[in-house]
Each structure stands twice: as structure tokens, then as C-alpha cells.
Amino acid sequence: MTHVLAHPLAGQVLALASPGAMGTGEKVAFWVLGIIALGCAIAMVAARNAMHSALFLVVTMFCLGIFYIIQAGPFIGMAQIIVYTGAIMMLFLFVLMLVGRDVSDSLIETLRGQRTAGILVGLGLAGLLGGGIARALGSIDAKGLEQANATHGGNVPGLAALMFTRYVFAFEVTSALLITAAVGAMILAHVQRNGEKKTQKEQSRERFAEGNHPAPKAGPGVFAHSNSVATPAILPDGTRSARSISPLVEPRELTAEDTRPKDTLTGGGNQ
Amino acid sequence: MTPTYYLVLSAALFCVGAVGVLIRRNAIVVFMSVELMLNAGNLALVTFARINGSLDGQIMAFFVMVVAAAEVVVGLAIIMSIFRTRRSASVDDSNLLKY
């Protein structure tokens, strides 16, 4: 454990947190990181895009990891950063990439007033929980962890001494849980192929079958006024082809300013 | 200033996560809100360890972390398989058992 304590920064952080009461440095860290963590948590819930939500949650979890380190738990803080922000959130990002940006995450409420009611419930819960905790533990005398950390020569040896004696059964059960989860994920993610793989001949027959469109879909339109992927292609009969635009791309209404002929020949001015 | 401030922050984060579970429709975002609630619980556990002067709270937080990792793996696999069959990750679309 001496190597963690020997690092000057780690030693300073642990010394900062050793007393039960919060020192000045810890207060500053708490107010700065606490506001960032809470703000990013709210932004995570409010963000329309699921990818933004995941990134906001990464920031919140990172702040919590630093809180753990400040509170004399360097091991749990590092585990938080490695396991949560490193592994779990990257898994979330992978699944978001696979599932794609969900088109159906609409603003239409299935139950009327559910969003307002949910926010009210959250505010009420926050008031009750925060008020209760603040009243019950507001003037508590915290003992601090310096003695517990020093008993076995540091935080990690102290945790190891507990984990492999008093909590050794829970630790063993944890390994069974992890193996079960890994096997379960493999079974759920496995796709069973039904029947034989189609030959090229069958695929070709299917493509030219009745009701199918054998040619590739028309690409989005490339016109003088716009070459955006949201511009539908114009079919030979003059209609716009809905098949040429991806459903994931939001159509954008062009204003008169956007469609105005740009006077490129006269150098920009049209006076 | 006592470590109680950490507990109030953890209560606030927990409530933000609860609101996220209640109002969001995307299953993955709902899942992320559950993770936020677990994290808020972890912050409370680590703070309790400091208040009581014993390392048991940190051990509990560690176990919560392990269980959360297992839960995320299985939960995301379930969301993936639902998406594969229904082409949607919205919690409103999984309504086969409704009637």
C-alpha cells in the first residue's frame, strides 16, 4: 500500500480527507464537482439524443469517482473510474451504436401528464430525502477513515482484509454471478440461424419476385440548390421519392433565404 | 461542514435518476438512469464508511459495482434482442403482454 501513499498527490488527497470534518480543499472540490455532477445528471435525463445522455453520465460518474478518492477510498474511486466510466459506459456506447439513434424516442406522451407528474414526484422525493437526511445527520460527528485505513497499512490492504475474511462468501457468490451474467449475455445475444443459408440463385429469384423493387433505391437528390442527404430525389414523373431519404435524417424546412439564388458570378452582392 | 453534504448530493442524484426512469421512453436512457441511481447509492455507502470510520461501506459499494456490471451486461443483451425482433428500443413498443 505504500506505493499509493508514497505518491505525493495521493498522499495529499488522503491527508485532505483524513479528518472526519471537511477541510477547505475538500469543500472547494465538493462544490465544484458536486455542481458539475448534478448538472450533468440533469442534462443526462433532459438530453434528446441518447448519445449525449451517455456522455453526460460519463462526466457524472467521473465526478463521483473523484469524490470516492477524496473520501479516503482510493481503491473504490479507481474502480469506479475503470469499471463505470471505462467499461460500463463504453458498453452503453457500443449498444447505442448498434441500435442506432432511436427514431421512436418521440416527445408524444403515451400517458397524458406523465412527464409533469414524474418531475413533480422527483422534486417531492428529493425534498423529502434531502430534508430528512439533512435534519437527521446534519450535525453528525464523522469519525473519518484514517484509523481504519492505518490498521492494515493502507486502504487496499484494509479492504482486502475485510473482503477475504468477513465478506469472503459474498465475494465467492459474486464470481458465480459474473459467470452467470456472461453466459446469459451470450445466450441472449446469440442468433440462431433457421434452416440452410440461401444460395445466390435463391437470393436473385427473391429480388426479382413480384412486389419487390430490384434496383437499388434512388439516392438523395443532388441539385443546384441543395445536395443535402435530406433532399429527396425527383423521379422521372416529377414526384419526390420518399425511398431516397433515410428515415433517420430529419427533414429540414428551407427558408426563403436558404433557397434564394446566390449571386456567385457578381461576387456575392446583389445590389 | 460535515460529510452530510455528500449524502444530500447522493439523494439529489438518486431523484434525478428516478425522474429519468419515469419520463424517458428510450430503454437505453432508462437503463442509464438506473445506473445513475446505483451510483448515488454508492456515494451514500462510501460516505457512510467515512462517517462510521469503518471500511465496510466501501466493500458494499464494491459489491454494488460488481452487481451493476453483471446487470448491465444482461440488460443490454435483453435490449439488443428486443430491438432485433421489434426494431425499436422504445419502452412503449414492448406491449405484447398488454391485453
Side-chain angles (χ1 to χ4, degrees), chain A residues 113-173:
Chain A
Q114 189 211 1
R115 188 164 297 139
T116 325
I119 291 171
L120 282 180
V121 165
L123 285 177
L125 188 63
L128 283 176
L129 268 181
I133 288 172
R135 278 178 69 97
L137 301 171
S139 57
I140 196 163
D141 198 18
K143 285 185 187 151
L145 277 173
E146 70 272 23
Q147 203 192 339
N149 272 343
T151 311
H152 292 277
N155 180 254
V156 178
L159 284 179
L162 270 178
M163 193 177 292
F164 295 116
T165 55
R166 192 188 299 170
Y167 295 101
V168 69
F169 185 66
F171 184 74
E172 298 288 341
V173 172

Side-chain angles (χ1 to χ4, degrees), chain A residues 12-35 66-68 70-72 137-146, chain B residues 1-10 43 46-47 50-51:
Chain A
Q12 201 178 353
V13 167
L14 288 185
L16 193 82
S18 45
M22 292 163 83
T24 316
E26 198 187 349
K27 277 182 201 166
V28 172
F30 174 81
W31 286 114
V32 172
L33 292 177
I35 289 170
I66 296 174
F67 278 152
Y68 299 165
I70 290 176
Q71 301 214 66
L137 301 171
S139 57
I140 196 163
D141 198 18
K143 285 185 187 151
L145 277 173
E146 70 272 23
Chain B
M1 203 170 162
T2 60
T4 312
Y5 282 80
Y6 287 108
L7 297 178
V8 176
L9 175 67
S10 116
L43 179 61
V46 172
T47 311
R50 178 184 180 185
I51 289 176

Side-chain angles (χ1 to χ4, degrees), chain B residues 11-69:
Chain B
L13 288 176
F14 186 88
C15 296
V16 172
V19 170
V21 171
L22 286 177
I23 69 174
R24 288 307 296 258
R25 305 258 65 83
N26 188 331
I28 298 178
V29 180
V30 169
F31 212 51
M32 284 196 261
S33 303
V34 173
E35 289 304 309
L36 181 62
M37 290 162 81
L38 285 171
N39 264 281
N42 268 354
L43 179 61
L45 284 173
V46 172
T47 311
F48 285 142
R50 178 184 180 185
I51 289 176
N52 287 323
S54 85
L55 286 173
D56 295 66
Q58 292 191 4
I59 298 265
M60 304 277 177
F62 177 73
F63 282 131
V64 169
M65 224 176 259
V66 174
V67 173

Side-chain angles (χ1 to χ4, degrees), chain A:
Chain A
M1 194 45 225
T2 45
H3 56 281
V4 171
L5 284 175
H7 193 278
L9 185 64
Q12 201 178 353
V13 167
L14 288 185
L16 193 82
S18 45
M22 292 163 83
T24 316
E26 198 187 349
K27 277 182 201 166
V28 172
F30 174 81
W31 286 114
V32 172
L33 292 177
I35 289 170
I36 292 177
L38 193 57
C40 284
I42 294 171
M44 187 272 282
V45 172
R48 191 72 45 79
N49 191 332
M51 199 62 85
H52 296 169
S53 293
L55 294 177
F56 279 127
L57 188 57
V58 168
V59 178
T60 302
M61 288 174 168
F62 199 82
C63 293
L64 290 186
I66 296 174
F67 278 152
Y68 299 165
I69 296 174
I70 290 176
Q71 301 214 66
F75 174 74
I76 202 78
M78 285 300 162
Q80 163 89 6
I81 290 172
I82 292 170
V83 173
Y84 263 115
T85 62
I88 293 186
M89 289 319 294
M90 291 313 115
L91 195 62
F92 268 105
L93 288 182
F94 266 118
V95 172
L96 276 175
M97 294 285 188
L98 283 175
V99 167
R101 198 167 70 85
D102 192 13
V103 203
S104 61
D105 193 23
S106 65
L107 290 173
I108 302 162
E109 290 182 290
T110 322
L111 303 170
R112 190 199 301 267
Q114 189 211 1
R115 188 164 297 139
T116 325
I119 291 171
L120 282 180
V121 165
L123 285 177
L125 188 63
L128 283 176
L129 268 181
I133 288 172
R135 278 178 69 97
L137 301 171
S139 57
I140 196 163
D141 198 18
K143 285 185 187 151
L145 277 173
E146 70 272 23
Q147 203 192 339
N149 272 343
T151 311
H152 292 277
N155 180 254
V156 178
L159 284 179
L162 270 178
M163 193 177 292
F164 295 116
T165 55
R166 192 188 299 170
Y167 295 101
V168 69
F169 185 66
F171 184 74
E172 298 288 341
V173 172
T174 299
S175 64
L177 175 76
L178 283 176
I179 289 185
T180 316
V183 172
M186 277 192 267
I187 290 174
L188 283 170
H190 179 69
V191 188
Q192 189 135 29
R193 186 191 295 281
N194 290 324
E196 291 284 304
K197 197 180 172 201
K198 279 178 195 158
T199 61
Q200 202 176 4
K201 203 182 211 174
E202 287 166 338
Q203 281 180 336
S204 184
R205 287 232 166 86
E206 235 169 53
R207 190 183 301 160
F208 285 95
E210 198 71 32
N212 201 6
H213 203 273
K217 289 179 185 174
V222 178
F223 304 115
H225 64 87
S226 167
N227 58 358
S228 147
V229 288
T231 312
I234 295 181
L235 295 177
D237 58 353
T239 57
R240 291 172 176 220
S241 166
R243 286 163 53 92
S244 65
I245 42 177
S246 163
L248 290 174
V249 176
E250 286 163 14
R252 188 165 66 100
E253 288 294 326
L254 292 181
T255 60
E257 176 61 24
D258 287 332
T259 54
R260 176 180 65 84
K262 314 291 192 297
D263 293 329
T264 47
L265 288 178
T266 59
N270 55 354
Q271 290 87 3

Side-chain angles (χ1 to χ4, degrees), chain B residues 66-90:
Chain B
V66 174
V67 173
E71 171 232 341
V72 162
V73 168
V74 177
L76 285 179
I78 291 175
I79 291 176
M80 278 300 297
S81 61
I82 291 178
F83 180 80
R84 212 181 280 134
T85 52
R86 306 187 69 91
R87 308 309 298 171
S88 160
S90 171

